[in-house]
mmCIF file of all heavy atoms in Angstrom:
data_model
loop_
_atom_site.group_PDB
_atom_site.id
_atom_site.type_symbol
_atom_site.label_atom_id
_atom_site.label_comp_id
_atom_site.label_asym_id
_atom_site.label_seq_id
_atom_site.Cartn_x
_atom_site.Cartn_y
_atom_site.Cartn_z
ATOM 1 N N LEU A 1 -19.113 -5.615 -10.889
ATOM 2 C CA LEU A 1 -17.746 -5.683 -11.468
ATOM 3 C C LEU A 1 -16.899 -4.509 -11.263
ATOM 4 O O LEU A 1 -15.723 -4.562 -10.961
ATOM 5 C CB LEU A 1 -17.849 -6.080 -12.933
ATOM 6 C CG LEU A 1 -18.387 -7.463 -13.297
ATOM 7 C CD1 LEU A 1 -18.564 -7.679 -14.825
ATOM 8 C CD2 LEU A 1 -17.471 -8.654 -12.661
ATOM 9 N N LYS A 2 -17.488 -3.334 -11.469
ATOM 10 C CA LYS A 2 -16.831 -2.085 -11.298
ATOM 11 C C LYS A 2 -16.410 -1.817 -9.814
ATOM 12 O O LYS A 2 -15.261 -1.437 -9.548
ATOM 13 C CB LYS A 2 -17.699 -0.962 -11.799
ATOM 14 C CG LYS A 2 -17.897 -0.922 -13.304
ATOM 15 C CD LYS A 2 -18.981 0.181 -13.657
ATOM 16 C CE LYS A 2 -19.273 0.088 -15.195
ATOM 17 N NZ LYS A 2 -20.279 1.042 -15.487
ATOM 18 N N SER A 3 -17.240 -2.166 -8.933
ATOM 19 C CA SER A 3 -16.928 -1.948 -7.539
ATOM 20 C C SER A 3 -15.987 -2.984 -6.981
ATOM 21 O O SER A 3 -15.234 -2.753 -6.081
ATOM 22 C CB SER A 3 -18.231 -1.937 -6.747
ATOM 23 O OG SER A 3 -18.927 -3.199 -6.777
ATOM 24 N N GLY A 4 -15.958 -4.127 -7.652
ATOM 25 C CA GLY A 4 -15.095 -5.260 -7.218
ATOM 26 C C GLY A 4 -13.722 -5.094 -7.699
ATOM 27 O O GLY A 4 -12.856 -5.885 -7.369
ATOM 28 N N GLY A 5 -13.436 -4.203 -8.608
ATOM 29 C CA GLY A 5 -12.170 -3.974 -9.033
ATOM 30 C C GLY A 5 -11.604 -4.852 -10.162
ATOM 31 O O GLY A 5 -10.450 -4.944 -10.460
ATOM 32 N N GLU A 6 -12.579 -5.566 -10.898
ATOM 33 C CA GLU A 6 -12.122 -6.478 -11.997
ATOM 34 C C GLU A 6 -11.467 -5.668 -13.083
ATOM 35 O O GLU A 6 -10.452 -6.052 -13.614
ATOM 36 C CB GLU A 6 -13.295 -7.223 -12.533
ATOM 37 C CG GLU A 6 -12.937 -8.292 -13.572
ATOM 38 C CD GLU A 6 -13.997 -9.175 -13.928
ATOM 39 O OE1 GLU A 6 -14.477 -9.959 -13.111
ATOM 40 O OE2 GLU A 6 -14.476 -9.127 -15.042
ATOM 41 N N SER A 7 -12.028 -4.421 -13.408
ATOM 42 C CA SER A 7 -11.350 -3.663 -14.506
ATOM 43 C C SER A 7 -9.975 -3.122 -14.094
ATOM 44 O O SER A 7 -9.179 -3.010 -14.874
ATOM 45 C CB SER A 7 -12.266 -2.530 -14.856
ATOM 46 O OG SER A 7 -12.538 -1.676 -13.774
ATOM 47 N N GLY A 8 -9.901 -2.773 -12.849
ATOM 48 C CA GLY A 8 -8.621 -2.286 -12.298
ATOM 49 C C GLY A 8 -7.536 -3.394 -12.217
ATOM 50 O O GLY A 8 -6.333 -3.129 -12.476
ATOM 51 N N ALA A 9 -7.983 -4.736 -12.072
ATOM 52 C CA ALA A 9 -7.037 -5.765 -12.098
ATOM 53 C C ALA A 9 -6.313 -5.941 -13.445
ATOM 54 O O ALA A 9 -5.162 -6.267 -13.523
ATOM 55 C CB ALA A 9 -7.788 -7.124 -11.722
ATOM 56 N N GLY A 10 -7.098 -5.853 -14.549
ATOM 57 C CA GLY A 10 -6.522 -5.869 -15.816
ATOM 58 C C GLY A 10 -5.494 -4.832 -16.040
ATOM 59 O O GLY A 10 -4.468 -5.078 -16.652
ATOM 60 N N GLN A 11 -5.879 -3.616 -15.659
ATOM 61 C CA GLN A 11 -4.878 -2.575 -15.826
ATOM 62 C C GLN A 11 -3.686 -2.706 -14.976
ATOM 63 O O GLN A 11 -2.519 -2.459 -15.365
ATOM 64 C CB GLN A 11 -5.534 -1.186 -15.494
ATOM 65 C CG GLN A 11 -4.712 0.003 -15.556
ATOM 66 C CD GLN A 11 -4.195 0.172 -17.005
ATOM 67 O OE1 GLN A 11 -4.696 -0.297 -17.953
ATOM 68 N NE2 GLN A 11 -3.018 0.947 -17.043
ATOM 69 N N ALA A 12 -3.861 -3.296 -13.753
ATOM 70 C CA ALA A 12 -2.660 -3.550 -12.904
ATOM 71 C C ALA A 12 -1.784 -4.531 -13.487
ATOM 72 O O ALA A 12 -0.568 -4.437 -13.341
ATOM 73 C CB ALA A 12 -3.203 -3.949 -11.522
ATOM 74 N N LEU A 13 -2.365 -5.585 -14.187
ATOM 75 C CA LEU A 13 -1.505 -6.606 -14.799
ATOM 76 C C LEU A 13 -0.691 -5.966 -15.925
ATOM 77 O O LEU A 13 0.513 -6.350 -16.034
ATOM 78 C CB LEU A 13 -2.393 -7.752 -15.381
ATOM 79 C CG LEU A 13 -1.728 -8.851 -16.023
ATOM 80 C CD1 LEU A 13 -0.791 -9.629 -15.024
ATOM 81 C CD2 LEU A 13 -2.670 -9.830 -16.721
ATOM 82 N N ILE A 14 -1.287 -5.154 -16.714
ATOM 83 C CA ILE A 14 -0.512 -4.430 -17.795
ATOM 84 C C ILE A 14 0.549 -3.595 -17.206
ATOM 85 O O ILE A 14 1.672 -3.573 -17.707
ATOM 86 C CB ILE A 14 -1.557 -3.662 -18.647
ATOM 87 C CG1 ILE A 14 -2.509 -4.556 -19.356
ATOM 88 C CG2 ILE A 14 -0.754 -2.800 -19.659
ATOM 89 C CD1 ILE A 14 -3.649 -3.864 -20.068
ATOM 90 N N SER A 15 0.344 -2.886 -16.142
ATOM 91 C CA SER A 15 1.337 -2.016 -15.500
ATOM 92 C C SER A 15 2.361 -2.833 -14.941
ATOM 93 O O SER A 15 3.601 -2.538 -14.990
ATOM 94 C CB SER A 15 0.645 -1.142 -14.403
ATOM 95 O OG SER A 15 -0.355 -0.361 -14.901
ATOM 96 N N LEU A 16 2.049 -4.035 -14.253
ATOM 97 C CA LEU A 16 3.062 -4.919 -13.780
ATOM 98 C C LEU A 16 4.002 -5.421 -14.927
ATOM 99 O O LEU A 16 5.248 -5.564 -14.739
ATOM 100 C CB LEU A 16 2.409 -6.059 -13.074
ATOM 101 C CG LEU A 16 3.330 -7.078 -12.377
ATOM 102 C CD1 LEU A 16 4.146 -6.374 -11.236
ATOM 103 C CD2 LEU A 16 2.587 -8.158 -11.776
ATOM 104 N N ALA A 17 3.349 -5.706 -16.119
ATOM 105 C CA ALA A 17 4.178 -6.192 -17.173
ATOM 106 C C ALA A 17 5.250 -5.198 -17.659
ATOM 107 O O ALA A 17 6.285 -5.569 -18.107
ATOM 108 C CB ALA A 17 3.296 -6.560 -18.392
ATOM 109 N N GLY A 18 4.853 -3.891 -17.452
ATOM 110 C CA GLY A 18 5.760 -2.870 -17.878
ATOM 111 C C GLY A 18 6.970 -2.748 -16.912
ATOM 112 O O GLY A 18 7.951 -1.994 -17.198
ATOM 113 N N LEU A 19 6.988 -3.453 -15.754
ATOM 114 C CA LEU A 19 8.063 -3.311 -14.781
ATOM 115 C C LEU A 19 9.157 -4.373 -15.077
ATOM 116 O O LEU A 19 10.208 -4.272 -14.480
ATOM 117 C CB LEU A 19 7.511 -3.471 -13.335
ATOM 118 C CG LEU A 19 6.526 -2.447 -12.829
ATOM 119 C CD1 LEU A 19 5.989 -2.842 -11.503
ATOM 120 C CD2 LEU A 19 7.197 -1.080 -12.836
ATOM 121 N N VAL A 20 8.862 -5.370 -15.858
ATOM 122 C CA VAL A 20 9.695 -6.510 -16.084
ATOM 123 C C VAL A 20 10.263 -6.435 -17.486
ATOM 124 O O VAL A 20 9.726 -5.813 -18.373
ATOM 125 C CB VAL A 20 9.150 -7.870 -15.739
ATOM 126 C CG1 VAL A 20 8.636 -7.891 -14.285
ATOM 127 C CG2 VAL A 20 7.903 -8.084 -16.695
ATOM 128 N N PRO A 21 11.450 -7.092 -17.788
ATOM 129 C CA PRO A 21 11.961 -7.114 -19.203
ATOM 130 C C PRO A 21 10.930 -7.693 -20.149
ATOM 131 O O PRO A 21 10.074 -8.526 -19.773
ATOM 132 C CB PRO A 21 13.180 -8.063 -18.996
ATOM 133 C CG PRO A 21 13.627 -7.896 -17.573
ATOM 134 C CD PRO A 21 12.326 -7.728 -16.847
ATOM 135 N N PHE A 22 11.054 -7.375 -21.400
ATOM 136 C CA PHE A 22 10.102 -7.695 -22.346
ATOM 137 C C PHE A 22 10.065 -9.178 -22.649
ATOM 138 O O PHE A 22 8.963 -9.772 -22.905
ATOM 139 C CB PHE A 22 10.367 -6.905 -23.714
ATOM 140 C CG PHE A 22 9.422 -7.277 -24.843
ATOM 141 C CD1 PHE A 22 8.153 -6.802 -24.787
ATOM 142 C CD2 PHE A 22 9.844 -8.084 -25.846
ATOM 143 C CE1 PHE A 22 7.227 -7.014 -25.869
ATOM 144 C CE2 PHE A 22 8.915 -8.508 -26.847
ATOM 145 C CZ PHE A 22 7.596 -7.889 -26.899
ATOM 146 N N ALA A 23 11.236 -9.888 -22.741
ATOM 147 C CA ALA A 23 11.330 -11.281 -23.134
ATOM 148 C C ALA A 23 10.335 -12.178 -22.361
ATOM 149 O O ALA A 23 9.512 -12.923 -22.992
ATOM 150 C CB ALA A 23 12.770 -11.758 -23.003
ATOM 151 N N PRO A 24 10.336 -12.195 -21.002
ATOM 152 C CA PRO A 24 9.445 -13.086 -20.325
ATOM 153 C C PRO A 24 8.014 -12.675 -20.496
ATOM 154 O O PRO A 24 7.038 -13.527 -20.507
ATOM 155 C CB PRO A 24 9.896 -12.934 -18.890
ATOM 156 C CG PRO A 24 10.646 -11.684 -18.780
ATOM 157 C CD PRO A 24 11.294 -11.516 -20.040
ATOM 158 N N VAL A 25 7.684 -11.344 -20.662
ATOM 159 C CA VAL A 25 6.384 -10.957 -20.950
ATOM 160 C C VAL A 25 5.809 -11.543 -22.261
ATOM 161 O O VAL A 25 4.762 -12.060 -22.401
ATOM 162 C CB VAL A 25 6.250 -9.437 -20.931
ATOM 163 C CG1 VAL A 25 4.879 -8.979 -21.393
ATOM 164 C CG2 VAL A 25 6.653 -8.905 -19.549
#
């Protein structure tokens, strides 16, 4: 799981949410 990037995917999703307005998130 660590080498496959699953933990990084969750963090990337959170970072992506920070790029868009709050209401749709």
Side-chain angles (χ1 to χ4, degrees):
L1 291 176
K2 292 172 185 176
S3 61
E6 185 171 293
S7 62
Q11 179 60 24
L13 181 64
I14 295 169
S15 299
L16 184 62
L19 297 175
V20 299
F22 178 77
V25 173

